[in-house]
Amino acid sequence: MSIKNDMVVQFNYTLRDEQGEVLETNEGSDPIVYLHGHNNMMPGVEDAIAGKSFGEKFTVTLAPETTYGVRDEAAIQRVSVKHLQGEKVWKAGMHALLNTEQGQRQVTVIKVGKFMATVDVNHPLAGRELSFDLEVIAARDATDEELAHGHAHGKGGHHH
């Protein structure tokens, strides 16, 4: 069965940088689960999985526009240190979580003062060409409820 829109897909991945170094993997963990064709997955990965069959393993190298986005050099902000989440003491180069109107964002601390910090709100992997080793573990047709809600339910999916 080929992967198409309105299917719940489970896959494993290993994310590599331009030099082939592993940045992330879910190896040894539960597979990633998403509803295909409903903007629940980064576009490059979803496009790469489309048309594949379960059990298929492959590698795809993706441009920043289809993964974590192009770097925006103007995406530097000053925020109150008290809004940074994840550590008690902050230093340049550390990653923090910051609540925004669009939800939580991961930011990179550039400079820290006593009360204010300068942060880069670009995703840490923005602007990079990345390779994904992908393995489609399983796929099934989505239920009517999953289609109505726009996301996968159950283990690895959304729980109501």
Side-chain angles (χ1 to χ4, degrees):
M1 180 188 305
S2 294
I3 305 301
K4 61 186 187 306
N5 288 352
D6 300 336
M7 293 182 83
V8 174
V9 178
Q10 295 183 36
F11 71 96
N12 288 329
Y13 76 98
T14 298
L15 172 61
R16 298 177 190 277
D17 67 12
E18 300 86 346
Q19 290 74 42
E21 295 294 319
V22 173
L23 300 174
E24 289 179 10
T25 186
N26 73 327
E27 198 70 35
S29 300
D30 289 334
I32 304 299
V33 179
Y34 76 99
L35 181 58
H36 193 84
H38 291 259
N39 298 318
N40 295 170
M41 182 54 52
M42 61 179 63
V45 171
E46 187 169 62
D47 289 347
I49 290 174
K52 299 291 192 264
S53 299
F54 45 89
E56 210 167 325
K57 292 181 180 184
F58 56 99
T59 299
V60 62
T61 299
L62 300 172
E65 295 84 358
T66 65
T67 57
Y68 294 100
V70 177
R71 279 193 59 74
D72 177 1
E73 296 306 325
I76 307 299
Q77 297 180 0
R78 289 191 35 86
V79 297
S80 173
V81 172
K82 69 181 179 183
H83 293 301
L84 299 177
Q85 300 173 16
E87 297 290 334
K88 293 196 185 319
V89 178
W90 294 100
K91 295 179 182 168
M94 295 176 84
H95 297 290
L97 290 177
L98 183 66
N99 287 324
T100 71
E101 291 176 2
Q102 292 80 35
Q104 272 195 341
R105 267 191 103 122
Q106 186 178 20
V107 300
T108 303
V109 177
I110 297 173
K111 183 178 172 185
V112 182
K114 187 170 184 176
F115 300 107
M116 299 294 287
T118 303
V119 297
D120 181 346
V121 298
N122 285 294
H123 188 281
L125 298 176
R128 297 178 69 180
E129 187 175 271
L130 301 167
S131 294
F132 292 80
D133 299 330
L134 300 167
E135 178 184 11
V136 179
I137 302 297
R140 63 172 172 79
D141 290 327
T143 65
D144 290 340
E145 183 180 36
E146 288 170 323
L147 292 173
H149 290 182
H151 55 253
H153 291 172
K155 185 171 181 164
H158 189 80
H159 302 279
H160 289 277

